[in-house]
Amino acid sequence: GFDVLKHGASAEIAQSTALTALIVGCKLHSDAVLALQAFDWARGVGLLQGTPVAKQVVVVDALLDAVAFDSARAVSLQLLEAAYSSYVTSFEQMAPFVHFRFGRALLLGITRAGHASAALSLLRTARQHG
C-alpha cells in the first residue's frame, strides 16, 4: 500500500484518501510505527500542505486513531518521541486547527506515559509557534 501511495497519481485529494486508507490499515494491524512513517513521508513530499483542511483533519484523525495516544494502553517512548519530532517539524504544513488536534493528542499521550518534562516542553514549543 505504501509503495502504491508513493507512486500514485499526482492529485492531492486522491493521494490523501490513499494515505488515510493506509493509516487506517495500520490501525487495523496495530502498526503505529508504519502509520507515523506514512504520515511523515506525506509531510516530507508536501502532500498535506496542498490538501484542503477537511482532508487534513481526516488524515490526522486516522493517524491519532492508529497511534492511540488517547487510549488506556501503554504507548512506547520511542513512538512518543517520533510523534513529538513529527509534531515539531509540521507547523508550516498543516492548518493551525489540525495541528492543534495533533498536539493535544500527543500531549495526552506524553502525560499518560508520565513524562511531565516532555509535556512541558511540548507546551512551550506549541506556544512559541502560536
Side-chain angles (χ1 to χ4, degrees):
F2 195 29
D3 287 333
V4 172
L5 175 63
K6 290 194 314 191
H7 297 50
S10 62
E12 286 133 356
I13 292 177
Q15 284 184 333
S16 69
T17 301
L19 174 63
T20 302
L22 175 63
I23 292 174
V24 168
C26 291
K27 176 190 177 193
L28 294 174
H29 292 283
S30 300
D31 195 340
V33 173
L34 181 59
L36 191 56
Q37 287 173 343
F39 178 76
D40 284 340
W41 170 82
R43 286 186 324 97
V45 298
L47 180 67
L48 294 176
Q49 202 164 15
T51 303
V53 173
K55 279 298 204 181
Q56 287 183 9
V57 168
V58 171
V59 169
V60 169
D61 283 351
L63 173 68
L64 297 177
D65 281 348
V67 296
F69 292 140
D70 62 351
S71 73
R73 77 167 207 231
V75 177
S76 77
L77 181 58
Q78 183 180 8
L79 180 62
L80 287 169
E81 288 172 347
Y84 181 87
S85 175
S86 182
Y87 172 80
V88 167
T89 58
S90 65
F91 280 98
E92 301 299 319
Q93 298 165 332
M94 291 188 285
F97 169 74
V98 179
H99 202 261
F100 170 79
R101 292 168 74 103
F102 185 16
R104 181 183 60 199
L106 180 57
L107 181 63
L108 203 74
I110 290 170
T111 304
R112 284 193 174 157
H115 300 288
S117 62
L120 288 173
S121 176
L122 177 67
L123 289 171
R124 278 189 217 104
T125 300
R127 185 177 181 146
Q128 288 172 352
H129 290 278

